[in-house]
Amino acid sequence: MSGEASTPGASPRAPRPGTQKSSGTVTKKGDRGAKEKPVLVLPPVGEEEPKNPEEYQCTGVLETDFAELCTRSGYTDFPKVVTRPRPHPAFVPSASMSEKPAQDDQRPSASCSLNSLESKYVFFRPTIQVELEPEDKWVKEIYIRGWRVEERILGIFSKCLPPLSQLQAINLWKVGLTDKTLSTFIALLPLCAPTLRKVSLEGNPLPEQSYHKLMAADSPIAHLSLRNNNIDDHGAQLLGQALSTLRSCNRTLVSLNLAFNHIGDAGAGYIADGLRLNRALLWLSLAHNRIQDQGALKLAEVLRPFELTHTEVVERRRLLLEKGTQERSRSPSSSRPGDSKTDREKNLLLQVNSAALAEKTDKTQTTKTPKGLSKKKEKSGGESVRKEEKSGSGQSPTQGTPKKEDPTKSGKGKVTIPEQKTSKGKGPKTGNKEKRSFLLESEQLVAEATETVNPLLEPVEHRDGKVFVPGNKVLLHLNLLRNRITEVGLEGFLATVQYQAQFSKSKSPSKGPVGLLRLSLAKNCFSPQCPAYATIQELMLPRAPATKAKPREEETT
């Protein structure tokens, strides 16, 4: 008996890495694990399997591809791909339905209680939720919530996500991203289908705050949400520089959500600096932050005509010089010898004047063209100078005496030549050639935008020796709910809204950008009965998309 008692005590020690069924076979056959050892090593260790994940060809079915790649990579327990549950409609309990559950709840069985517990725990199990197209059943959006996404999982995604031809959005909520895994995720995005335009990384605070990498010049992201990431003023500075700098500008990002962060006045100033030269962003949310009056005034300043800094003026002159050299290189007279320099300048001036007059006659009357041409030839274009082209006091000298100019003065004259052509000629050309329509999901608003032109080349205005540009009129939605703005900051937005309302009235026939259509300033540190706030509400009411829908329908009919 003692020998029989010792054998079962020793037998479980040998096959401990295996399963319970294998230990049962050992006691029946009595082989002492000699035959079981090679069998026990292979099943739990998936890395020694002959299957290689690199050899697998994805089929485009995410559920099958992800499971197969996880198995080949050695995962025994991995998240399942499930369809995202739809939100239930409003439920109104009736008298007959309210009585039956009460009777059933009085006598719960053991199986029912176990099933209810299992269903509750299954809800919290890691899953990959997908939203499918209603007709074709292709994966449209991916939702990952509440479990850590490691770099190996991202490597699997880099193989199974590119075949999804209809993928539009990736949502990662509290997945424990790090700076390393964020870089891996960013490298994954260009591999996906071109339909992927929306990325949401919420609840993923990074110590490095390197979210600006998502807004690189080659990034395909059009809608980016970075809520609840503890972004402070330093992170806002990096994001503002990603929006635009003096030499670079993001032209793909349409909406940016920075709500529920820690952005203060300095961070709002950095975002405002990014909006100075950015003409692509249409939707911006800074709700639930720490912005006060100084940050609010900086944001309001860039939405109306603002003064260019010294570095911006220098960059503007450099761009105008480049435009001038490009136009001269394209003209046929550039191939002539250097002796005919004055003739080339005269021909270029005549081309610019004729182009400007042609645009003017298209807008007003065609009968004014000979008068305008005679005045251009006789009076060297002094009477045809518009307020938008007041940029140079050197314009009339370059047209009147092109032969007697110094090299510096002739350079200034060349700068003003492309300014006329860009401020007048590019407007209707780009509007007719390329138009992009963006659907704002929150407002269901389609905004038409022309080909992006550097804002430094826009028509400028001179006041007291300072250069002013028209300001950012492309931004349509600005959300500043629940910040710390008082009536002082409110006055800045009042001046902006009044200017944009005046501008939109004068530019109603055209389809260009007209400025803000929705401005959210509620729940701040001022009274809702404040006169400035009431005036802003009155001015913004006719500009809201909901109130403008009926007039648009009447125009189309």
Side-chain angles (χ1 to χ4, degrees):
M1 296 294 290
S2 61
E4 295 176 357
S6 61
T7 52
S11 58
R13 294 179 184 176
R16 183 169 294 175
T19 58
Q20 293 181 359
K21 292 182 180 180
S22 62
S23 63
T25 57
V26 173
T27 55
K28 289 181 181 179
K29 295 182 179 180
D31 289 335
R32 296 281 180 171
K35 297 180 180 179
E36 304 294 335
K37 284 184 179 180
V39 180
L40 291 171
V41 174
L42 292 175
V45 182
E47 297 177 356
E48 298 181 7
E49 293 182 355
K51 296 180 179 180
N52 187 2
E54 300 293 337
E55 298 175 354
Y56 179 73
Q57 298 293 331
C58 293
T59 61
V61 181
L62 182 60
E63 183 177 1
T64 305
D65 295 340
F66 183 76
E68 181 65 24
L69 289 171
C70 286
T71 304
R72 289 171 177 259
S73 299
Y75 286 100
T76 57
D77 187 13
F78 48 84
K80 307 298 181 184
V81 179
V82 298
T83 305
R84 189 186 185 202
R86 294 281 183 177
H88 297 287
F91 176 72
V92 179
S94 61
S96 60
M97 297 182 67
S98 60
E99 292 176 359
K100 292 181 180 179
Q103 293 176 359
D104 295 338
D105 293 340
Q106 291 176 1
R107 293 177 297 175
S109 61
S111 61
C112 292
S113 61
L114 288 175
N115 290 335
S116 62
L117 288 174
E118 288 178 359
S119 63
K120 290 180 180 179
Y121 283 110
V122 165
F123 177 78
F124 293 102
R125 283 179 62 89
T127 58
I128 300 175
Q129 297 182 357
V130 296
E131 188 172 337
L132 305 177
E133 289 282 353
E135 297 179 357
D136 301 331
K137 300 300 180 182
W138 294 105
V139 176
K140 183 173 64 173
E141 295 192 27
I142 295 177
Y143 296 85
I144 299 177
R145 302 171 63 87
W147 56 275
R148 186 179 184 85
V149 176
E150 300 176 351
E151 193 165 0
R152 291 178 63 190
I153 294 292
L154 291 175
I156 294 174
F157 282 149
S158 66
K159 298 182 180 66
C160 61
L161 292 188
L164 304 179
S165 59
Q166 301 299 324
L167 183 61
Q168 299 177 9
I170 297 178
N171 302 272
L172 305 180
W173 182 76
K174 291 189 176 181
V175 297
L177 284 180
T178 62
D179 189 65
K180 186 177 181 181
T181 54
L182 178 64
S183 300
T184 306
F185 175 74
I186 294 172
L188 159 68
L189 296 178
L191 303 177
C192 297
T195 55
L196 178 60
R197 304 297 302 278
K198 179 182 177 182
V199 172
S200 175
L201 302 180
E202 299 182 358
N204 295 284
L206 298 177
E208 299 85 357
Q209 300 196 27
S210 54
Y211 305 102
H212 63 283
K213 297 178 181 178
L214 293 161
M215 301 163 55
D218 57 347
S219 175
I221 301 175
H223 306 276
L224 180 61
S225 179
L226 298 174
R227 299 191 306 172
N228 287 294
N229 286 331
N230 297 338
I231 299 176
D232 56 10
D233 293 339
H234 174 64
Q237 181 181 9
L238 298 176
L239 293 173
Q241 293 173 355
L243 284 174
S244 73
T245 59
L246 206 59
R247 297 296 180 90
S248 64
C249 179
N250 183 288
R251 298 184 179 182
T252 58
L253 191 66
V254 177
S255 66
L256 178 62
N257 194 340
L258 299 176
F260 297 94
N261 283 292
H262 303 158
I263 300 175
D265 282 345
Y270 293 131
I271 299 295
D273 291 340
L275 293 175
R276 289 173 71 92
L277 303 180
N278 182 285
R279 295 298 181 268
L281 191 68
L282 305 178
W283 194 95
L284 175 63
S285 176
L286 292 169
H288 294 266
N289 277 279
R290 304 172 181 177
I291 300 173
Q292 301 181 13
D293 292 331
Q294 294 299 321
L297 291 174
K298 291 179 181 178
L299 288 170
E301 179 185 358
V302 298
L303 302 179
R304 60 179 186 266
F306 59 86
E307 177 189 353
L308 292 181
T309 61
H310 175 70
T311 55
E312 290 172 344
V313 171
V314 173
E315 179 66 14
R316 171 184 165 82
R317 292 175 179 173
R318 187 188 69 82
L319 292 174
L320 291 174
L321 281 172
E322 289 183 358
K323 289 287 183 180
T325 54
Q326 290 177 2
E327 293 297 331
R328 286 192 297 272
S329 63
R330 293 173 185 173
S331 61
S333 59
S334 59
S335 59
R336 297 178 181 177
D339 298 333
S340 59
K341 182 178 179 181
T342 55
D343 296 335
R344 281 181 286 169
E345 291 180 354
K346 288 180 180 180
N347 293 331
L348 185 58
L349 287 172
L350 290 175
Q351 291 176 5
V352 172
N353 295 335
S354 61
L357 287 172
E359 293 175 5
K360 187 175 181 181
T361 52
D362 290 339
K363 295 179 181 178
T364 57
Q365 295 177 356
T366 57
T367 56
K368 295 183 180 180
T369 49
K371 295 181 180 180
L373 286 172
S374 60
K375 290 180 181 179
K376 284 286 182 176
K377 294 178 181 178
E378 294 174 2
K379 299 182 180 180
S380 69
E383 298 179 359
S384 64
V385 177
R386 299 183 181 178
K387 293 181 180 179
E388 297 175 352
E389 298 167 348
K390 224 173 179 181
S391 59
S393 56
Q395 182 178 0
S396 55
T398 54
Q399 295 177 350
T401 57
K403 296 182 180 179
K404 298 181 181 180
E405 286 181 347
D406 296 334
T408 56
K409 292 183 180 180
S410 63
K412 292 182 180 179
K414 294 174 185 177
V415 168
T416 56
I417 292 171
E419 183 182 355
Q420 296 175 349
K421 197 162 186 178
T422 54
S423 62
K424 296 180 180 180
K426 279 196 175 182
K429 287 183 181 178
T430 56
N432 295 329
K433 287 183 179 179
E434 295 184 1
K435 289 185 179 179
R436 298 178 298 170
S437 60
F438 300 102
L439 178 64
L440 295 182
E441 297 178 355
S442 62
E443 302 176 358
Q444 298 297 320
L445 175 66
V446 175
E448 295 181 356
T450 57
E451 183 184 358
T452 54
V453 181
N454 195 318
L456 294 176
L457 297 178
E458 293 178 352
V460 297
E461 184 179 354
H462 291 260
R463 303 181 209 161
D464 302 330
K466 300 177 181 179
V467 184
F468 288 82
V469 293
N472 190 331
K473 298 186 185 67
V474 178
L475 188 68
L476 303 179
H477 179 108
L478 179 60
N479 188 353
L480 290 170
L481 286 170
R482 293 188 180 276
N483 279 276
R484 303 171 185 178
I485 303 172
T486 65
E487 297 182 5
V488 177
L490 206 61
E491 293 293 335
F493 281 106
L494 177 60
T496 297
V497 172
Q498 288 175 342
Y499 165 75
Q500 291 189 353
Q502 183 90 16
F503 177 81
S504 61
K505 288 180 180 179
S506 62
K507 202 177 179 181
S508 56
S510 66
K511 294 183 179 180
V514 294
L516 290 174
L517 300 182
R518 182 168 295 177
L519 177 63
S520 302
L521 294 169
K523 308 295 182 180
N524 275 279
C525 299
F526 56 82
S527 173
Q529 290 77 25
C530 175
Y533 183 65
T535 307
I536 291 175
Q537 294 293 95
E538 293 177 1
L539 292 173
M540 293 300 300
L541 184 61
R543 297 168 62 86
T547 57
K548 296 174 68 175
K550 293 181 179 179
R552 285 178 182 175
E553 291 178 359
E554 294 176 357
E555 290 177 1
T556 55
T557 54

